[in-house]
């Protein structure tokens, strides 16, 4: 088996192939420089964002703890109310089941409100401005 020769390693060292390889090399070099410029601007933007964000990881943990506690609190209140109603009215287990489901819904709604996905009046549309009244 013969070894390939030439800069491309494919054995083609004719002048027309060299011109084609030079064109490819020039194109690759242009794309590499463009990529380096793009990465440099993104790195600079990321560094500026890190400086302004401060301790972003701790803030994320705090937000996660807040959202999870609001969800669990909604379920716990629903279970507690259902259990009390079952004891007073003697409707076991229906009060617990109904209020568990209501507590789950309330917990989900609290999480969505805290995350900013739902306003007090309803679901916020991402493409509609909040200042505009709805057309009927």
């Amino acid at each position: 088996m013969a070894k390939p020769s030439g800069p491309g390693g494919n054995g083609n060292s004719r002048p027309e192939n060299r011109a084609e390889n030079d064109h490819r090399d020039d194109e690759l070099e242009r794309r590499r420089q463009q990529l380096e410029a793009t990465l440099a601007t993104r790195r600079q933007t990321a560094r500026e964002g890190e400086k302004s964000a401060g301790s972003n990881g701790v803030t994320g943990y705090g937000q996660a703890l807040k959202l999870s506690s609001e969800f669990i609190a909604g379920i716990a209140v629903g279970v507690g109310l259902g259990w009390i109603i079952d004891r007073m009215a003697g409707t076991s287990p229906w009060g617990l089941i109904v209020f568990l489901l209501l507590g789950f819904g309330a917990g989900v709604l609290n999480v969505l409100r805290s995350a900013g996905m739902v306003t007090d009046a309803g679901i916020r549309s991402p493409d509609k401005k909040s200042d505009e009244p709805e057309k009927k």
Side-chain angles (χ1 to χ4, degrees):
M1 192 186 259
K3 285 186 176 180
S5 63
N10 58 6
N12 295 330
S13 60
R14 291 186 285 184
E16 57 270 4
N17 289 339
R18 285 186 196 147
E20 184 179 319
N21 286 338
D22 289 343
H23 175 68
R24 286 184 196 161
D25 290 343
D26 292 341
E27 179 67 20
L28 285 174
E29 182 64 24
R30 184 191 62 78
R31 288 174 55 196
R32 185 188 63 79
Q33 289 174 353
Q34 184 181 7
L35 179 62
E36 283 180 357
T38 304
L39 286 175
T41 58
R42 288 187 183 178
R43 285 181 189 142
Q44 184 179 7
T45 306
R47 287 182 189 138
E48 291 172 359
E50 287 175 3
K51 290 176 185 176
S52 65
S55 58
N56 200 13
V58 176
T59 305
Y61 286 126
Q63 183 73 8
L65 184 63
K66 176 185 171 188
L67 294 176
S68 63
S69 64
E70 286 186 7
F71 181 68
I72 291 171
I75 293 174
V77 168
V79 167
L81 287 173
W83 183 76
I84 290 171
I85 288 175
D86 278 343
R87 291 288 176 191
M88 294 179 129
T91 59
S92 186
W94 294 107
L96 183 65
I97 292 171
V98 168
F99 279 92
L100 173 69
L101 293 175
L102 287 174
F104 180 80
V108 169
L109 185 61
N110 284 340
V111 167
L112 291 175
R113 280 186 186 154
S114 292
M117 301 297 291
V118 175
T119 60
D120 289 333
I123 297 176
R124 181 175 27 168
S125 175
D127 55 21
K128 189 192 300 184
K129 294 180 182 175
S130 60
D131 301 357
E132 297 177 4
E134 282 190 43
K135 295 179 182 177
K136 292 182 181 179

